[in-house]
Amino acid sequence: MSKLRVAVIGARGRIGSEAVRAVSEAEDLELVAAIGRGDKLETLVEAGAQVAVELTDPGAVMGNLDFLVRHGIHGVVGTTGWTEERLAQLRTWLAAAPEVGVLIAPNFSIGAVLTMRFAQQAARFFESVEVIELHHPNKADAPSGTATRTAQLIAAARAEAGCAPQPDATVSALDGARGADVDGVPVHSVRLRGLLAHQEVLLGDTGETLTIRHDSTHHSSFMPGILLAARRVPSAPGLTFGLEHFLDLD
Amino acid sequence: MSKLRVAVIGARGRIGSEAVRAVSEAEDLELVAAIGRGDKLETLVEAGAQVAVELTDPGAVMGNLDFLVRHGIHGVVGTTGWTEERLAQLRTWLAAAPEVGVLIAPNFSIGAVLTMRFAQQAARFFESVEVIELHHPNKADAPSGTATRTAQLIAAARAEAGCAPQPDATVSALDGARGADVDGVPVHSVRLRGLLAHQEVLLGDTGETLTIRHDSTHHSSFMPGILLAARRVPSAPGLTFGLEHFLDLD
Amino acid sequence: MSKLRVAVIGARGRIGSEAVRAVSEAEDLELVAAIGRGDKLETLVEAGAQVAVELTDPGAVMGNLDFLVRHGIHGVVGTTGWTEERLAQLRTWLAAAPEVGVLIAPNFSIGAVLTMRFAQQAARFFESVEVIELHHPNKADAPSGTATRTAQLIAAARAEAGCAPQPDATVSALDGARGADVDGVPVHSVRLRGLLAHQEVLLGDTGETLTIRHDSTHHSSFMPGILLAARRVPSAPGLTFGLEHFLDLD
Amino acid sequence: MSKLRVAVIGARGRIGSEAVRAVSEAEDLELVAAIGRGDKLETLVEAGAQVAVELTDPGAVMGNLDFLVRHGIHGVVGTTGWTEERLAQLRTWLAAAPEVGVLIAPNFSIGAVLTMRFAQQAARFFESVEVIELHHPNKADAPSGTATRTAQLIAAARAEAGCAPQPDATVSALDGARGADVDGVPVHSVRLRGLLAHQEVLLGDTGETLTIRHDSTHHSSFMPGILLAARRVPSAPGLTFGLEHFLDLD
């Protein structure tokens, strides 16, 4: 079987260089180009790339995608900064190239995506739900973006199912003890030397609790998701937003 | 809105008496009958039961279900001992009463059902999967039936997805250190005073792990699942096997 | 070997009745009296009690202890409400009966006592320490008294060792995300249906974390500590405050 | 205050180079020499080293320590392969230099040392104790040396306290389900991609459990222990075996 021909754009960044290595080591993929700032996009065409992994920055991503779509190269995009305008523009380009697929993923960690998905599915069956996220102490924001997003998804699922508010008889509390309130879901942020990025969703009902925990212990955790996306995107024409749509969860 | 009229059969058993209480306390349900060994099934008809929760024993369940189906009463069944023959017989009865629904559930703990389901869905995305189950030290079998079933579901999902065998470089091990092998999935059984029934599924890939843990801390953990089933079974004609089909997970 | 003769005062309360059962079942102890409100203390003398477990209320405890000390009966006291004045009074009584021992313990859970002790010992070796406590949602205060006390002990140990403040680069946080501040130690309170009383101390330094977790799953968790205290108090004359002093930890 | 003058022997190994960096970055220490295979030990004397961190191999360590003791340089030793004969030889050398201190530590992770210590202290208070160790799947042995050692310490503490055997009603078990038996303590070994080195000690009694967990997430976890040892060894003449003796735990 011939290997899928994959290029990496942004190959000299921290995630990009990991992606170069991960593609090279995958038995069913062939790394045909690895370009960075200042390199020419034409290299991808000359190298016969079928899929390009785009890991650059908001200033570069639109130009790169315009090129990829025009040349029939599928895209797997980790670059952030997406707005409705940008997505609309991308959709216009893709409409003119109906065979090309582009996946944009805010998070390529399969574990993080599954945690959010499972939390969302389980949320309506339990009286109580709280989120604890734990990170290294150099992190600037609390809660983490992932935890906030997870809590929002949980709250939306509960609202849709008509769940009652969570039980909480607290009458006397120190400031902050009960965490941050994200749409009615308490979120607690721990900052601890020795940790990287971790998240725990706790769900409880009469006589039982369910805990879904994701531990990210190295930034290479994005690689399995990037490879999975590269393999899947050629058969997913048009725009897909979110890795969960490639996980066949339903 | 009129309340759903629910009866309990096997109302004097440990789970049965919990069910009587749970149905009584549910605002949208009305407990119309609670019968046990020696009581007449006709009571259910006289009481106008729409749903009967059946929590007896393998010697009594078929007679009870025959009666329920013939009288148009939906069934929620926790009694065990199902064989293909029994299921076939039940299907025959239900074919003659196309509006009646019967749910049979080996496990009414929503947390346990979700754990199995999520483990099954996640299994194919991770290189490594192991199961740890932890119970009180009076338990006679190891691993627990739930852990064995969970490992089998994981193994089947991985086989279907064509996953490679799990990595394991162990060359020197004490007997038992690496757990029991259930279809290629290691299962570890802890027996500890102070515990009731707990299960943890650990999934790992490059740079990340995902853990799904279920803690059952009281046998009342079955009640939310029984109530959910009672509410859903009137709109699910025919035979449903497994609570997961009432959880709208996909 | 003759059994130690033990009485229970407050025998009809929730903890008291558990204590009656636990003493009865212990092979090396003999339950010689079990009295409650309205019963006469003289019963203890007539029964030849060597140790009395005192589980009443702040209104009754001083009278009971006065009697015990005067009659040469050792005391194991779980009743709360101790002030410096009360302790001074008790010490005066004990000075007149130098062979009598009284243990007062705010917490008879050996697991809780060890958790506090270990947290205190470990606190100075790690850059970061946080506490998460998790309880049922009917609890009125947050954090729990045990968690507050644990954080205070941790903070004191760190201050004594001259530890630097904990690292925390948070610049943007939702209200409450980083928990309550107890003497510089963040404490997070989770309230979840299905839980009873749980506490986790997380300590982290470069490349490693240490977690000490206590799960109390039934109020019978006080029993092993009460029995241990009953066995030890006859050889510990005078006043001992805190079960940790009977655990031979140093 | 003048800084403590520290040298590293074995400075080009993986742990050695981490130690060079850690000593350099510590505000109260000065790195005065960093030597490796082929470099002359006299460098340490010329550089005025007060303490040498020895991270070489069993073939080199004795020669290095002979030199250090003779020149009045304290040693912090991570090299393995110690036998009674070697320790006796070292003690003879130290007897002739009564002011010199040498610490040999099989494990410089403070978290691992505390876990063993706490497990040992807690072991006699709980009916049940089990150990779960979790490592990356490239590990060759199961259980890990640390887990085996931990279980042996637990078993010895229980034997000394006269504890009864652990309760375990298992009558029907799959091979390996109940783990490896290390002196009566069950030990379970998990091998999972995404993990590094982790250990959990579970202790349980009526109504409560205590869990002590150590997560080693990077080999830099040895550094805080090495620095602590370097600071302490000048005031600990003679031979000390085990970092726990420098932790003032009792």
Side-chain angles (χ1 to χ4, degrees):
Chain A
M1 201 181 79
S2 71
K3 295 182 176 185
L4 185 68
R5 303 172 64 80
V6 179
V8 176
I9 314 181
R12 294 190 286 269
R14 196 184 61 167
I15 305 289
S17 57
E18 288 269 354
V20 164
R21 192 158 59 84
V23 171
S24 304
E25 291 175 0
E27 294 192 3
D28 58 335
L29 307 180
E30 183 179 354
L31 181 76
V32 296
I35 69 176
R37 198 180 301 274
D39 296 335
K40 290 191 172 160
L41 289 167
E42 282 70 25
T43 309
L44 306 187
V45 179
E46 291 155 15
Q50 297 168 281
V51 174
V53 178
E54 213 285 348
L55 301 164
T56 67
D57 58 76
V61 65
M62 292 305 285
N64 291 337
L65 285 172
D66 183 15
F67 180 91
L68 292 177
V69 176
R70 276 191 290 109
H71 289 83
I73 302 173
H74 308 288
V76 169
V77 183
T79 300
T80 57
W82 291 93
T83 59
E84 277 311 313
E85 290 71 27
R86 290 189 152 210
L87 292 171
Q89 172 66 76
L90 177 54
R91 279 196 193 90
T92 307
W93 293 338
L94 283 163
E99 80 289 355
V100 176
V102 170
L103 170 83
I104 300 173
N107 197 331
F108 275 107
S109 154
I110 293 174
V113 170
L114 290 177
T115 296
M116 281 188 266
R117 173 74 181 187
F118 293 159
Q120 203 178 358
Q121 288 186 308
R124 70 186 185 282
F125 298 115
F126 293 85
E127 269 195 76
S128 306
V129 191
E130 306 210 2
V131 177
I132 303 174
E133 56 91 347
L134 314 95
H135 282 82
H136 59 84
N138 302 326
K139 187 168 179 60
D141 55 321
S144 68
T146 301
T148 302
R149 180 82 184 123
T150 304
Q152 289 167 340
L153 292 170
I154 288 168
R158 290 169 71 87
E160 199 190 322
C163 294
Q166 305 201 28
D168 183 355
T170 309
V171 290
S172 152
L174 286 187
D175 253 21
R178 292 287 289 116
D181 181 316
V182 176
D183 298 353
V185 177
V187 181
H188 310 269
S189 300
V190 173
R191 296 292 172 262
L192 209 75
R193 185 74 72 211
L195 293 180
L196 185 55
H198 315 257
Q199 171 162 310
E200 204 166 79
V201 180
L202 298 97
L203 305 112
D205 210 318
T206 308
E208 67 172 348
T209 61
L210 177 67
T211 306
I212 304 164
R213 179 173 175 122
H214 179 237
D215 293 274
S216 180
T217 55
H218 194 265
H219 54 85
S220 60
S221 64
F222 296 132
M223 293 312 125
I226 287 177
L227 299 188
L228 181 149
R231 290 173 185 125
R232 288 292 302 271
V233 73
S235 52
L239 175 61
T240 305
F241 196 93
L243 186 63
E244 60 271 28
H245 300 289
F246 279 10
L247 300 185
D248 298 322
L249 295 173
D250 40 33
Chain B
M1 204 182 76
S2 71
K3 295 182 176 186
L4 185 67
R5 303 172 63 81
V6 179
V8 176
I9 313 180
R12 293 191 286 270
R14 195 183 62 165
I15 305 289
S17 57
E18 288 269 353
V20 165
R21 191 158 59 84
V23 171
S24 304
E25 292 175 359
E27 295 191 2
D28 58 335
L29 307 181
E30 183 180 353
L31 180 75
V32 296
I35 66 174
R37 198 180 302 272
D39 295 336
K40 290 193 173 159
L41 289 166
E42 281 69 25
T43 310
L44 307 186
V45 179
E46 290 155 16
Q50 297 169 282
V51 174
V53 178
E54 212 286 348
L55 301 164
T56 65
D57 58 76
V61 66
M62 292 305 285
N64 291 338
L65 285 172
D66 182 16
F67 180 91
L68 293 177
V69 175
R70 275 190 291 112
H71 290 82
I73 302 172
H74 308 287
V76 170
V77 184
T79 299
T80 56
W82 291 94
T83 60
E84 278 311 313
E85 289 71 27
R86 292 188 150 211
L87 292 171
Q89 172 67 77
L90 177 55
R91 279 197 194 91
T92 305
W93 293 338
L94 284 163
E99 80 288 356
V100 176
V102 170
L103 170 81
I104 301 173
N107 197 332
F108 275 108
S109 153
I110 293 175
V113 170
L114 289 176
T115 297
M116 280 187 267
R117 173 75 183 185
F118 293 161
Q120 203 179 359
Q121 288 187 308
R124 70 185 184 282
F125 298 117
F126 293 85
E127 270 193 76
S128 306
V129 191
E130 305 209 3
V131 176
I132 302 174
E133 55 92 347
L134 314 94
H135 282 82
H136 59 83
N138 302 326
K139 189 169 178 57
D141 54 321
S144 68
T146 301
T148 301
R149 179 84 184 123
T150 304
Q152 287 167 341
L153 292 169
I154 288 168
R158 289 170 72 85
E160 197 189 324
C163 294
Q166 303 201 30
D168 183 356
T170 310
V171 290
S172 152
L174 286 187
D175 253 19
R178 291 287 290 115
D181 181 317
V182 176
D183 299 353
V185 177
V187 181
H188 310 269
S189 299
V190 173
R191 296 293 171 262
L192 208 76
R193 183 75 72 213
L195 294 181
L196 184 56
H198 315 257
Q199 171 163 309
E200 203 167 80
V201 180
L202 298 99
L203 306 111
D205 210 319
T206 307
E208 67 173 347
T209 61
L210 177 67
T211 305
I212 305 164
R213 179 175 174 121
H214 178 238
D215 293 273
S216 181
T217 54
H218 195 266
H219 55 87
S220 60
S221 63
F222 297 131
M223 292 312 124
I226 287 177
L227 299 188
L228 180 149
R231 290 172 184 124
R232 289 291 302 273
V233 72
S235 52
L239 174 60
T240 306
F241 196 93
L243 186 63
E244 60 272 28
H245 300 290
F246 278 10
L247 300 185
D248 299 322
L249 295 173
D250 38 33
Chain C
M1 202 180 77
S2 71
K3 294 183 177 185
L4 185 68
R5 301 172 66 80
V6 179
V8 175
I9 314 179
R12 295 191 284 270
R14 195 186 59 166
I15 305 289
S17 56
E18 288 267 354
V20 165
R21 193 158 58 84
V23 171
S24 306
E25 291 175 359
E27 295 191 1
D28 59 335
L29 306 181
E30 183 179 353
L31 181 76
V32 295
I35 67 176
R37 200 180 301 274
D39 296 336
K40 290 192 173 160
L41 289 167
E42 282 70 24
T43 311
L44 306 186
V45 179
E46 291 155 15
Q50 297 168 280
V51 174
V53 178
E54 211 286 346
L55 301 164
T56 66
D57 57 77
V61 66
M62 292 306 285
N64 291 337
L65 284 173
D66 183 15
F67 180 91
L68 293 177
V69 175
R70 276 191 291 109
H71 289 82
I73 301 173
H74 309 287
V76 169
V77 183
T79 300
T80 57
W82 291 94
T83 61
E84 277 312 313
E85 289 69 28
R86 291 190 149 209
L87 292 172
Q89 173 66 77
L90 178 54
R91 278 197 193 89
T92 306
W93 294 337
L94 283 164
E99 77 293 353
V100 176
V102 170
L103 170 82
I104 301 174
N107 196 330
F108 275 107
S109 154
I110 293 175
V113 170
L114 290 177
T115 297
M116 279 188 267
R117 173 74 181 187
F118 293 160
Q120 204 178 358
Q121 289 187 309
R124 69 184 185 282
F125 298 116
F126 293 85
E127 271 194 74
S128 306
V129 192
E130 307 210 0
V131 177
I132 303 173
E133 55 93 347
L134 313 94
H135 282 81
H136 58 85
N138 301 328
K139 187 168 179 58
D141 54 322
S144 68
T146 301
T148 301
R149 178 83 183 123
T150 304
Q152 288 167 340
L153 292 170
I154 289 168
R158 290 170 71 85
E160 198 190 322
C163 293
Q166 304 200 32
D168 182 355
T170 310
V171 291
S172 151
L174 286 187
D175 253 20
R178 291 286 291 115
D181 181 316
V182 176
D183 298 353
V185 177
V187 181
H188 310 268
S189 300
V190 173
R191 296 293 171 263
L192 208 75
R193 185 74 73 209
L195 293 180
L196 184 56
H198 315 257
Q199 171 164 309
E200 201 167 81
V201 179
L202 299 97
L203 305 111
D205 209 318
T206 309
E208 66 173 349
T209 60
L210 177 66
T211 306
I212 304 165
R213 179 172 176 124
H214 179 237
D215 293 274
S216 181
T217 54
H218 195 264
H219 55 86
S220 60
S221 64
F222 296 132
M223 293 311 125
I226 287 177
L227 298 188
L228 181 149
R231 291 173 183 123
R232 288 292 302 271
V233 73
S235 52
L239 175 60
T240 305
F241 196 93
L243 186 62
E244 58 273 28
H245 300 290
F246 278 10
L247 300 186
D248 299 323
L249 295 174
D250 39 34
Chain D
M1 202 181 78
S2 71
K3 295 183 176 184
L4 184 69
R5 302 172 64 81
V6 179
V8 176
I9 314 180
R12 293 189 286 270
R14 196 185 61 166
I15 305 289
S17 56
E18 288 269 353
V20 165
R21 192 159 59 84
V23 171
S24 305
E25 291 174 359
E27 293 191 3
D28 59 336
L29 307 181
E30 184 180 351
L31 181 75
V32 296
I35 67 175
R37 198 180 300 273
D39 295 335
K40 291 192 173 160
L41 290 165
E42 282 70 25
T43 310
L44 306 187
V45 180
E46 290 156 16
Q50 297 169 281
V51 174
V53 178
E54 211 288 347
L55 301 163
T56 64
D57 58 77
V61 67
M62 292 306 284
N64 291 338
L65 284 173
D66 183 17
F67 180 91
L68 292 177
V69 175
R70 277 191 289 112
H71 290 83
I73 302 173
H74 308 288
V76 170
V77 184
T79 300
T80 57
W82 291 94
T83 60
E84 278 311 313
E85 290 70 28
R86 290 189 152 210
L87 293 172
Q89 173 66 76
L90 178 54
R91 280 197 193 92
T92 305
W93 293 338
L94 284 164
E99 79 291 354
V100 176
V102 170
L103 170 83
I104 301 173
N107 197 330
F108 275 107
S109 154
I110 293 174
V113 170
L114 290 176
T115 297
M116 280 187 266
R117 173 76 182 183
F118 294 160
Q120 203 179 358
Q121 289 187 308
R124 70 184 183 284
F125 298 116
F126 292 85
E127 270 194 74
S128 306
V129 191
E130 306 210 2
V131 176
I132 302 174
E133 55 92 348
L134 314 94
H135 283 82
H136 58 83
N138 301 327
K139 189 169 178 57
D141 55 321
S144 68
T146 301
T148 301
R149 179 86 185 121
T150 304
Q152 288 168 340
L153 292 169
I154 289 168
R158 289 170 71 86
E160 198 190 322
C163 294
Q166 305 200 31
D168 183 355
T170 310
V171 290
S172 151
L174 285 186
D175 252 19
R178 290 286 291 116
D181 181 316
V182 176
D183 298 354
V185 177
V187 181
H188 310 268
S189 299
V190 173
R191 297 292 171 263
L192 208 75
R193 184 76 72 209
L195 293 180
L196 186 54
H198 315 256
Q199 172 164 309
E200 205 167 77
V201 180
L202 298 98
L203 305 111
D205 210 320
T206 308
E208 66 174 347
T209 60
L210 177 67
T211 306
I212 305 165
R213 181 175 173 120
H214 179 239
D215 293 273
S216 181
T217 54
H218 195 264
H219 55 86
S220 61
S221 64
F222 296 130
M223 294 310 125
I226 287 176
L227 299 187
L228 180 150
R231 290 173 184 124
R232 288 291 303 272
V233 74
S235 52
L239 175 60
T240 305
F241 196 93
L243 186 63
E244 58 272 29
H245 301 289
F246 279 11
L247 300 185
D248 299 324
L249 295 174
D250 38 36

